[in-house]
Amino acid sequence: MTADASASPPATSPPSDVRTVRLASAVDFAGFRCACRALWAEQVAPERVVWRCADDSEGDLFEASSEGAAAATPQAPPVRVPPAFVPLAESAMLHRDAERFALLYRLLWRLQVEPGLRGDPLDLDWQRADAMSQEVRRDLHAMQSSVRFRPIAEPDGEGAIGAPLHVAWFDPEHHIVEAAAPFFARRFGAMRWAILTPERSIGWDGVALAFAPGLRRDETPATDDADSVWLASYRSTFGSARVKVQTLAREMPSVAMAARPSTDPKRRAATAPQPTPDHPATPGGEQPRSLPALNAALQDCRECPIGEHATQAVGGEGSRHARLMFVGEQPGDQEDLQGRPFVGPAGQLLARALEELAIPRREVYITNAVKHFKFELRGKRRIHKTPAQQEAAACLHWLEREIELVDPGALVALGATAARQLMGTTISVLRERGRWLVRSDGRRVLITLHPSALLRVEPEDKAAAYAAWLADLHHAAEHFSTSASK
């Protein structure tokens, strides 16, 4: 899509010329993109377009390829959009809002005729599309993090490749099932599973993804129903207890295929990722030699169960030669989504304190003792859970390697988990807060509360609690300013 940003607004279609565009499905981005090109080539203004999906009961089929549209109106300028528009549109069009196609085409049209729109983050159309995209991403993450499979006992001799069947139910808010499918195929590629949803269902037989009609919630077994009830729901959705790969490949050309794991040990060894000095095959191998290598290696860590359910590992960030290192407990919900430490509400409180203490965040190093987000689900919300001592112990070597690579003069332990990891023993934060302790390696550690503790204080006590916490951190500010002057 390319267009001259300075082009004058093209002539619009007559008021009576209303075009109905019918897409193949609610997630037909290729069809939407093709239709947008054709509509722009014919200079059909957004207010003259009605968008439908193939399962709607009204509307005519509008078919036009980009090549045909260009040939029909060679004088029409090409479509040009900023790089961020295409991924924004791909995400926003998965939203449940029926007006999403009209919004995105209107935004595309305005990008051609309003030069200032590209740099206007306050524009209402931009904001609405971005809000839709964020809601879709949250829904995708909720599906990826909350689906729990139930193993089903099948009669002897059934099953596509002899693996047990695992079935789950999920009710997404938006049209995300197809977008989420590759994630589950990668993560659970070694088992046979199905995810049933009201709109669309996914099946994986260990080789290929298959999509089937949805299942109403009242047709889905309750969590504690017998395996036979779940198996009946699976069969009614996919038509059979077995998924035949050859049939799928013939009848569903768009099915995503993946190589079945080889049973030959030599073949597995030949195709397995090879370790490198900066990215060891296991955490027990050669230590990463740089912070980027360490953060990359973290993504493969499964030394405790937390990593199986988190979106990603969250390493530290900041100056590679920081004089001061802040260590928290673990990533929270926002940190897990963004892949950065201390960006949620607690991180905002820490940022405020650093600013008041004249400590530039970019000149310190901020990390967590535990690198994955541990949570429990309450509905679709993920609620923080304190990591167990053995889970924190599994992460200790990552933290110690960060300390070795950054080599800070002093550390700040934010909360009990960080204090225990840094000092090697249980520390009473309330008794030791505001005091410097000394590690076995000679580095000093300032003990204080985690900023999230302040967020739980009663409103009338917040000001006093924050002032006391800031007084603790003043000792770290003194170390920072003193070491800077040397």
Side-chain angles (χ1 to χ4, degrees):
M1 294 182 175
T2 54
D4 187 350
S6 62
S8 58
T12 60
S13 306
S16 59
D17 184 18
V18 175
R19 302 294 296 269
T20 297
V21 180
R22 186 178 248 185
L23 301 174
S25 72
V27 295
D28 181 16
F29 183 73
F32 172 72
R33 192 170 183 173
C34 180
C36 286
R37 289 196 184 105
L39 290 166
W40 170 254
E42 295 184 35
Q43 304 293 271
V44 183
E47 60 270 19
R48 302 290 180 250
V49 183
V50 175
W51 296 88
R52 305 286 186 196
C53 294
D55 54 357
D56 291 340
S57 59
E58 48 185 307
D60 300 320
L61 182 63
F62 173 79
E63 294 180 336
S65 67
S66 57
E67 294 80 7
T73 54
Q75 74 279 10
V79 183
R80 180 178 297 152
V81 295
F85 178 79
V86 173
L88 175 70
E90 286 181 312
S91 180
M93 74 165 291
L94 302 182
H95 200 276
R96 184 71 63 179
D97 193 324
E99 297 299 315
R100 64 194 183 281
F101 297 115
L103 168 68
L104 292 171
Y105 180 56
R106 182 171 68 248
L107 190 52
L108 181 143
W109 177 278
R110 292 181 58 211
L111 284 167
Q112 314 312 307
V113 301
E114 299 178 26
L117 181 60
R118 295 167 182 250
D120 185 5
L122 300 180
D123 178 80
L124 293 181
D125 283 346
W126 266 128
Q127 289 186 339
R128 186 178 173 197
D130 185 62
M132 285 183 178
S133 177
Q134 290 187 42
E135 289 175 21
V136 166
R137 291 198 300 270
R138 282 196 291 268
D139 200 26
L140 268 169
H141 185 268
M143 183 174 182
Q144 292 170 356
S145 61
S146 62
V147 162
R148 295 293 179 268
F149 289 102
R150 176 192 179 104
I152 301 297
E154 295 183 273
D156 291 342
E158 297 193 5
I161 56 174
L165 173 65
H166 295 73
V167 183
W169 162 263
F170 185 75
D171 188 1
E173 295 181 11
H174 305 290
H175 305 287
I176 62 167
V177 174
E178 283 92 339
F183 167 86
F184 289 99
R186 289 193 303 271
R187 173 158 285 194
F188 303 105
M191 72 185 199
R192 193 162 59 97
W193 53 261
I195 303 175
L196 311 177
T197 85
E199 183 177 286
R200 200 93 160 106
S201 295
I202 324 169
W204 172 259
D205 71 342
V207 177
L209 281 170
F211 297 98
L215 199 67
R216 294 198 316 268
R217 188 65 184 98
D218 57 8
E219 298 174 327
T220 305
T223 304
D224 55 356
D225 277 344
D227 287 359
S228 59
V229 182
W230 277 92
L231 186 58
S233 296
Y234 168 73
R235 287 173 171 170
S236 68
T237 301
F238 288 93
S240 170
R242 20 177 120 241
V243 180
K244 293 182 170 51
V245 178
Q246 293 83 356
T247 303
L248 287 171
R250 183 175 64 250
E251 297 181 0
M252 300 180 62
S254 62
V255 163
M257 304 295 291
R260 183 185 303 180
S262 173
T263 56
D264 182 349
K266 293 182 179 179
R267 189 175 185 85
R268 283 205 308 266
T271 58
Q274 297 303 308
T276 64
D278 281 349
H279 193 166
T282 66
E286 185 177 348
Q287 290 289 338
R289 298 176 182 174
S290 67
L291 291 172
L294 184 145
N295 286 332
L298 273 173
Q299 304 306 320
D300 296 331
C301 180
R302 293 296 182 270
E303 293 187 67
C304 75
I306 303 178
E308 289 295 332
H309 306 292
T311 304
Q312 59 193 314
V314 181
E317 71 173 20
S319 171
R320 299 184 181 185
H321 305 288
R323 301 181 294 274
L324 192 61
M325 177 184 284
F326 289 80
V327 182
E329 179 193 80
Q330 67 166 345
D333 181 75
Q334 287 301 309
E335 289 79 7
D336 177 71
L337 293 173
Q338 298 183 39
R340 297 181 56 209
F342 283 88
V343 293
Q348 294 168 16
L349 196 60
L350 178 61
R352 171 187 165 189
L354 292 177
E355 185 176 0
E356 292 184 23
L357 294 168
I359 302 176
R361 176 166 176 153
R362 66 181 182 277
E363 294 184 18
V364 298
Y365 192 84
I366 299 177
T367 190
N368 283 293
V370 176
K371 307 304 183 184
H372 285 103
F373 178 35
K374 183 178 181 180
F375 60 91
E376 64 180 0
L377 283 170
R378 295 182 188 171
K380 290 190 176 181
R381 294 182 60 208
R382 302 190 303 168
I383 307 300
H384 162 276
K385 284 191 69 175
T386 301
Q389 189 164 349
Q390 60 268 32
E391 292 165 340
C395 262
L396 182 58
H397 68 96
W398 295 117
L399 175 62
E400 290 295 340
R401 185 56 179 160
E402 278 183 307
I403 294 172
E404 291 175 12
L405 292 170
V406 177
D407 193 22
L411 304 103
V412 178
L414 301 171
T417 299
R420 185 180 66 238
Q421 292 295 90
L422 290 173
M423 298 305 301
T425 186
T426 300
I427 301 293
S428 172
V429 174
L430 292 179
R431 186 176 66 243
E432 303 293 347
R433 63 175 298 184
R435 294 182 54 193
W436 289 103
L437 304 181
V438 181
R439 278 167 47 98
S440 58
D441 62 3
R443 290 187 176 90
R444 296 195 301 164
V445 179
L446 178 69
I447 308 297
T448 189
L449 301 175
H450 193 283
S452 62
L454 278 68
L455 299 176
R456 298 189 292 269
V457 171
E458 294 296 328
E460 61 271 18
D461 298 327
K462 282 187 181 293
Y466 179 76
W469 184 59
L470 205 62
D472 293 347
L473 294 179
H474 265 295
H475 299 295
E478 291 170 358
H479 166 83
F480 180 82
S481 59
T482 302
S483 59
S485 61
K486 290 182 180 178

PDB file of all heavy atoms in Angstrom, residues 267-292:
ATOM      1  N   ARG A 267      18.360 -38.845  14.461  1.00  0.00           N
ATOM      2  CA  ARG A 267      17.728 -37.770  13.705  1.00  0.00           C
ATOM      3  C   ARG A 267      17.383 -36.605  14.629  1.00  0.00           C
ATOM      4  O   ARG A 267      17.542 -35.437  14.275  1.00  0.00           O
ATOM      5  CB  ARG A 267      16.465 -38.293  13.025  1.00  0.00           C
ATOM      6  CG  ARG A 267      15.869 -37.296  12.039  1.00  0.00           C
ATOM      7  CD  ARG A 267      14.692 -37.938  11.307  1.00  0.00           C
ATOM      8  NE  ARG A 267      14.172 -37.049  10.282  1.00  0.00           N
ATOM      9  CZ  ARG A 267      14.669 -36.963   9.063  1.00  0.00           C
ATOM     10  NH1 ARG A 267      15.706 -37.695   8.710  1.00  0.00           N
ATOM     11  NH2 ARG A 267      14.154 -36.131   8.178  1.00  0.00           N
ATOM     12  N   ARG A 268      16.891 -36.938  15.857  1.00  0.00           N
ATOM     13  CA  ARG A 268      16.589 -35.875  16.809  1.00  0.00           C
ATOM     14  C   ARG A 268      17.843 -35.091  17.156  1.00  0.00           C
ATOM     15  O   ARG A 268      17.841 -33.874  17.244  1.00  0.00           O
ATOM     16  CB  ARG A 268      15.985 -36.467  18.090  1.00  0.00           C
ATOM     17  CG  ARG A 268      14.539 -36.878  17.951  1.00  0.00           C
ATOM     18  CD  ARG A 268      13.857 -36.847  19.309  1.00  0.00           C
ATOM     19  NE  ARG A 268      14.605 -37.604  20.308  1.00  0.00           N
ATOM     20  CZ  ARG A 268      14.346 -38.877  20.592  1.00  0.00           C
ATOM     21  NH1 ARG A 268      13.422 -39.534  19.941  1.00  0.00           N
ATOM     22  NH2 ARG A 268      15.042 -39.496  21.518  1.00  0.00           N
ATOM     23  N   ALA A 269      18.944 -35.791  17.357  1.00  0.00           N
ATOM     24  CA  ALA A 269      20.193 -35.111  17.718  1.00  0.00           C
ATOM     25  C   ALA A 269      20.668 -34.222  16.581  1.00  0.00           C
ATOM     26  O   ALA A 269      21.199 -33.138  16.801  1.00  0.00           O
ATOM     27  CB  ALA A 269      21.271 -36.139  18.063  1.00  0.00           C
ATOM     28  N   ALA A 270      20.474 -34.685  15.340  1.00  0.00           N
ATOM     29  CA  ALA A 270      20.943 -33.906  14.193  1.00  0.00           C
ATOM     30  C   ALA A 270      20.134 -32.645  13.991  1.00  0.00           C
ATOM     31  O   ALA A 270      20.644 -31.644  13.494  1.00  0.00           O
ATOM     32  CB  ALA A 270      20.880 -34.769  12.927  1.00  0.00           C
ATOM     33  N   THR A 271      18.826 -32.681  14.349  1.00  0.00           N
ATOM     34  CA  THR A 271      17.964 -31.527  14.096  1.00  0.00           C
ATOM     35  C   THR A 271      17.757 -30.655  15.321  1.00  0.00           C
ATOM     36  O   THR A 271      17.151 -29.603  15.223  1.00  0.00           O
ATOM     37  CB  THR A 271      16.588 -32.008  13.610  1.00  0.00           C
ATOM     38  OG1 THR A 271      16.026 -32.876  14.599  1.00  0.00           O
ATOM     39  CG2 THR A 271      16.702 -32.747  12.295  1.00  0.00           C
ATOM     40  N   ALA A 272      18.242 -31.080  16.478  1.00  0.00           N
ATOM     41  CA  ALA A 272      18.047 -30.290  17.700  1.00  0.00           C
ATOM     42  C   ALA A 272      18.893 -29.027  17.649  1.00  0.00           C
ATOM     43  O   ALA A 272      19.963 -29.004  17.055  1.00  0.00           O
ATOM     44  CB  ALA A 272      18.438 -31.125  18.925  1.00  0.00           C
ATOM     45  N   PRO A 273      18.421 -27.916  18.278  1.00  0.00           N
ATOM     46  CA  PRO A 273      19.220 -26.699  18.339  1.00  0.00           C
ATOM     47  C   PRO A 273      20.544 -26.965  19.024  1.00  0.00           C
ATOM     48  O   PRO A 273      20.601 -27.630  20.054  1.00  0.00           O
ATOM     49  CB  PRO A 273      18.335 -25.750  19.169  1.00  0.00           C
ATOM     50  CG  PRO A 273      16.949 -26.324  19.088  1.00  0.00           C
ATOM     51  CD  PRO A 273      17.131 -27.792  18.948  1.00  0.00           C
ATOM     52  N   GLN A 274      21.590 -26.443  18.460  1.00  0.00           N
ATOM     53  CA  GLN A 274      22.911 -26.658  19.029  1.00  0.00           C
ATOM     54  C   GLN A 274      23.272 -25.542  19.998  1.00  0.00           C
ATOM     55  O   GLN A 274      23.041 -24.370  19.713  1.00  0.00           O
ATOM     56  CB  GLN A 274      23.962 -26.712  17.900  1.00  0.00           C
ATOM     57  CG  GLN A 274      23.743 -27.882  16.949  1.00  0.00           C
ATOM     58  CD  GLN A 274      23.745 -29.218  17.663  1.00  0.00           C
ATOM     59  OE1 GLN A 274      24.670 -29.523  18.408  1.00  0.00           O
ATOM     60  NE2 GLN A 274      22.706 -30.017  17.465  1.00  0.00           N
ATOM     61  N   PRO A 275      23.825 -25.879  21.159  1.00  0.00           N
ATOM     62  CA  PRO A 275      24.187 -24.838  22.119  1.00  0.00           C
ATOM     63  C   PRO A 275      25.337 -23.986  21.605  1.00  0.00           C
ATOM     64  O   PRO A 275      26.167 -24.439  20.835  1.00  0.00           O
ATOM     65  CB  PRO A 275      24.600 -25.632  23.365  1.00  0.00           C
ATOM     66  CG  PRO A 275      25.031 -26.972  22.832  1.00  0.00           C
ATOM     67  CD  PRO A 275      24.154 -27.227  21.636  1.00  0.00           C
ATOM     68  N   THR A 276      25.342 -22.742  22.030  1.00  0.00           N
ATOM     69  CA  THR A 276      26.448 -21.839  21.722  1.00  0.00           C
ATOM     70  C   THR A 276      26.996 -21.327  23.040  1.00  0.00           C
ATOM     71  O   THR A 276      26.318 -21.364  24.068  1.00  0.00           O
ATOM     72  CB  THR A 276      25.963 -20.644  20.879  1.00  0.00           C
ATOM     73  OG1 THR A 276      25.030 -19.884  21.677  1.00  0.00           O
ATOM     74  CG2 THR A 276      25.251 -21.117  19.614  1.00  0.00           C
ATOM     75  N   PRO A 277      28.218 -20.787  23.047  1.00  0.00           N
ATOM     76  CA  PRO A 277      28.795 -20.298  24.302  1.00  0.00           C
ATOM     77  C   PRO A 277      27.931 -19.236  24.968  1.00  0.00           C
ATOM     78  O   PRO A 277      27.883 -19.149  26.185  1.00  0.00           O
ATOM     79  CB  PRO A 277      30.153 -19.729  23.865  1.00  0.00           C
ATOM     80  CG  PRO A 277      30.489 -20.496  22.622  1.00  0.00           C
ATOM     81  CD  PRO A 277      29.194 -20.757  21.942  1.00  0.00           C
ATOM     82  N   ASP A 278      27.233 -18.400  24.159  1.00  0.00           N
ATOM     83  CA  ASP A 278      26.432 -17.337  24.736  1.00  0.00           C
ATOM     84  C   ASP A 278      25.005 -17.751  25.021  1.00  0.00           C
ATOM     85  O   ASP A 278      24.230 -17.006  25.576  1.00  0.00           O
ATOM     86  CB  ASP A 278      26.419 -16.122  23.801  1.00  0.00           C
ATOM     87  CG  ASP A 278      27.688 -15.311  23.928  1.00  0.00           C
ATOM     88  OD1 ASP A 278      28.469 -15.552  24.848  1.00  0.00           O
ATOM     89  OD2 ASP A 278      27.902 -14.458  23.115  1.00  0.00           O
ATOM     90  N   HIS A 279      24.634 -18.943  24.611  1.00  0.00           N
ATOM     91  CA  HIS A 279      23.262 -19.391  24.818  1.00  0.00           C
ATOM     92  C   HIS A 279      23.286 -20.883  25.105  1.00  0.00           C
ATOM     93  O   HIS A 279      23.056 -21.700  24.226  1.00  0.00           O
ATOM     94  CB  HIS A 279      22.424 -19.108  23.567  1.00  0.00           C
ATOM     95  CG  HIS A 279      20.949 -19.250  23.835  1.00  0.00           C
ATOM     96  ND1 HIS A 279      20.001 -18.785  22.965  1.00  0.00           N
ATOM     97  CD2 HIS A 279      20.268 -19.801  24.861  1.00  0.00           C
ATOM     98  CE1 HIS A 279      18.793 -19.054  23.429  1.00  0.00           C
ATOM     99  NE2 HIS A 279      18.931 -19.667  24.576  1.00  0.00           N
ATOM    100  N   PRO A 280      23.609 -21.277  26.328  1.00  0.00           N
ATOM    101  CA  PRO A 280      23.784 -22.687  26.642  1.00  0.00           C
ATOM    102  C   PRO A 280      22.500 -23.464  26.447  1.00  0.00           C
ATOM    103  O   PRO A 280      21.410 -22.945  26.591  1.00  0.00           O
ATOM    104  CB  PRO A 280      24.194 -22.662  28.121  1.00  0.00           C
ATOM    105  CG  PRO A 280      23.652 -21.383  28.643  1.00  0.00           C
ATOM    106  CD  PRO A 280      23.725 -20.415  27.508  1.00  0.00           C
ATOM    107  N   ALA A 281      22.651 -24.750  26.120  1.00  0.00           N
ATOM    108  CA  ALA A 281      21.475 -25.583  25.910  1.00  0.00           C
ATOM    109  C   ALA A 281      20.700 -25.760  27.203  1.00  0.00           C
ATOM    110  O   ALA A 281      19.483 -25.881  27.199  1.00  0.00           O
ATOM    111  CB  ALA A 281      21.895 -26.948  25.365  1.00  0.00           C
ATOM    112  N   THR A 282      21.366 -25.764  28.342  1.00  0.00           N
ATOM    113  CA  THR A 282      20.699 -25.864  29.636  1.00  0.00           C
ATOM    114  C   THR A 282      21.321 -24.831  30.562  1.00  0.00           C
ATOM    115  O   THR A 282      22.475 -24.419  30.388  1.00  0.00           O
ATOM    116  CB  THR A 282      20.895 -27.262  30.257  1.00  0.00           C
ATOM    117  OG1 THR A 282      22.282 -27.455  30.561  1.00  0.00           O
ATOM    118  CG2 THR A 282      20.433 -28.347  29.312  1.00  0.00           C
ATOM    119  N   PRO A 283      20.535 -24.374  31.580  1.00  0.00           N
ATOM    120  CA  PRO A 283      21.090 -23.407  32.526  1.00  0.00           C
ATOM    121  C   PRO A 283      22.321 -23.922  33.241  1.00  0.00           C
ATOM    122  O   PRO A 283      23.115 -23.159  33.750  1.00  0.00           O
ATOM    123  CB  PRO A 283      19.929 -23.172  33.503  1.00  0.00           C
ATOM    124  CG  PRO A 283      18.697 -23.512  32.720  1.00  0.00           C
ATOM    125  CD  PRO A 283      19.133 -24.637  31.811  1.00  0.00           C
ATOM    126  N   GLY A 284      22.492 -25.242  33.279  1.00  0.00           N
ATOM    127  CA  GLY A 284      23.663 -25.786  33.951  1.00  0.00           C
ATOM    128  C   GLY A 284      24.900 -25.786  33.087  1.00  0.00           C
ATOM    129  O   GLY A 284      25.978 -26.169  33.527  1.00  0.00           O
ATOM    130  N   GLY A 285      24.763 -25.387  31.806  1.00  0.00           N
ATOM    131  CA  GLY A 285      25.905 -25.363  30.909  1.00  0.00           C
ATOM    132  C   GLY A 285      26.756 -24.131  31.134  1.00  0.00           C
ATOM    133  O   GLY A 285      26.701 -23.488  32.174  1.00  0.00           O
ATOM    134  N   GLU A 286      27.540 -23.790  30.119  1.00  0.00           N
ATOM    135  CA  GLU A 286      28.414 -22.625  30.229  1.00  0.00           C
ATOM    136  C   GLU A 286      27.588 -21.363  30.405  1.00  0.00           C
ATOM    137  O   GLU A 286      26.574 -21.163  29.747  1.00  0.00           O
ATOM    138  CB  GLU A 286      29.271 -22.516  28.957  1.00  0.00           C
ATOM    139  CG  GLU A 286      30.302 -21.404  29.042  1.00  0.00           C
ATOM    140  CD  GLU A 286      31.182 -21.375  27.810  1.00  0.00           C
ATOM    141  OE1 GLU A 286      31.123 -22.341  27.029  1.00  0.00           O
ATOM    142  OE2 GLU A 286      31.913 -20.382  27.629  1.00  0.00           O
ATOM    143  N   GLN A 287      28.014 -20.498  31.332  1.00  0.00           N
ATOM    144  CA  GLN A 287      27.247 -19.307  31.660  1.00  0.00           C
ATOM    145  C   GLN A 287      27.242 -18.300  30.508  1.00  0.00           C
ATOM    146  O   GLN A 287      28.236 -18.145  29.808  1.00  0.00           O
ATOM    147  CB  GLN A 287      27.845 -18.648  32.907  1.00  0.00           C
ATOM    148  CG  GLN A 287      27.629 -19.424  34.179  1.00  0.00           C
ATOM    149  CD  GLN A 287      26.178 -19.395  34.624  1.00  0.00           C
ATOM    150  OE1 GLN A 287      25.420 -18.521  34.249  1.00  0.00           O
ATOM    151  NE2 GLN A 287      25.795 -20.379  35.419  1.00  0.00           N
ATOM    152  N   PRO A 288      26.108 -17.596  30.299  1.00  0.00           N
ATOM    153  CA  PRO A 288      26.072 -16.529  29.290  1.00  0.00           C
ATOM    154  C   PRO A 288      27.133 -15.478  29.582  1.00  0.00           C
ATOM    155  O   PRO A 288      27.387 -15.139  30.739  1.00  0.00           O
ATOM    156  CB  PRO A 288      24.661 -15.955  29.445  1.00  0.00           C
ATOM    157  CG  PRO A 288      23.864 -17.054  30.066  1.00  0.00           C
ATOM    158  CD  PRO A 288      24.806 -17.782  30.961  1.00  0.00           C
ATOM    159  N   ARG A 289      27.731 -14.952  28.513  1.00  0.00           N
ATOM    160  CA  ARG A 289      28.842 -14.011  28.678  1.00  0.00           C
ATOM    161  C   ARG A 289      28.422 -12.555  28.573  1.00  0.00           C
ATOM    162  O   ARG A 289      29.266 -11.657  28.672  1.00  0.00           O
ATOM    163  CB  ARG A 289      29.910 -14.310  27.624  1.00  0.00           C
ATOM    164  CG  ARG A 289      30.500 -15.707  27.752  1.00  0.00           C
ATOM    165  CD  ARG A 289      31.472 -15.978  26.635  1.00  0.00           C
ATOM    166  NE  ARG A 289      32.013 -17.341  26.711  1.00  0.00           N
ATOM    167  CZ  ARG A 289      32.799 -17.872  25.793  1.00  0.00           C
ATOM    168  NH1 ARG A 289      33.149 -17.171  24.725  1.00  0.00           N
ATOM    169  NH2 ARG A 289      33.232 -19.115  25.944  1.00  0.00           N
ATOM    170  N   SER A 290      27.139 -12.286  28.330  1.00  0.00           N
ATOM    171  CA  SER A 290      26.658 -10.910  28.229  1.00  0.00           C
ATOM    172  C   SER A 290      25.219 -10.867  28.700  1.00  0.00           C
ATOM    173  O   SER A 290      24.534 -11.901  28.776  1.00  0.00           O
ATOM    174  CB  SER A 290      26.747 -10.404  26.787  1.00  0.00           C
ATOM    175  OG  SER A 290      25.840 -11.112  25.959  1.00  0.00           O
ATOM    176  N   LEU A 291      24.740  -9.662  29.012  1.00  0.00           N
ATOM    177  CA  LEU A 291      23.358  -9.519  29.452  1.00  0.00           C
ATOM    178  C   LEU A 291      22.364  -9.896  28.363  1.00  0.00           C
ATOM    179  O   LEU A 291      21.367 -10.581  28.642  1.00  0.00           O
ATOM    180  CB  LEU A 291      23.114  -8.096  29.962  1.00  0.00           C
ATOM    181  CG  LEU A 291      23.836  -7.752  31.270  1.00  0.00           C
ATOM    182  CD1 LEU A 291      23.699  -6.269  31.576  1.00  0.00           C
ATOM    183  CD2 LEU A 291      23.275  -8.581  32.428  1.00  0.00           C
ATOM    184  N   PRO A 292      22.560  -9.477  27.086  1.00  0.00           N
ATOM    185  CA  PRO A 292      21.631  -9.934  26.038  1.00  0.00           C
ATOM    186  C   PRO A 292      21.608 -11.452  25.902  1.00  0.00           C
ATOM    187  O   PRO A 292      20.545 -12.042  25.702  1.00  0.00           O
ATOM    188  CB  PRO A 292      22.172  -9.258  24.771  1.00  0.00           C
ATOM    189  CG  PRO A 292      22.889  -8.047  25.264  1.00  0.00           C
ATOM    190  CD  PRO A 292      23.501  -8.463  26.562  1.00  0.00           C
TER     191      PRO A 292
END
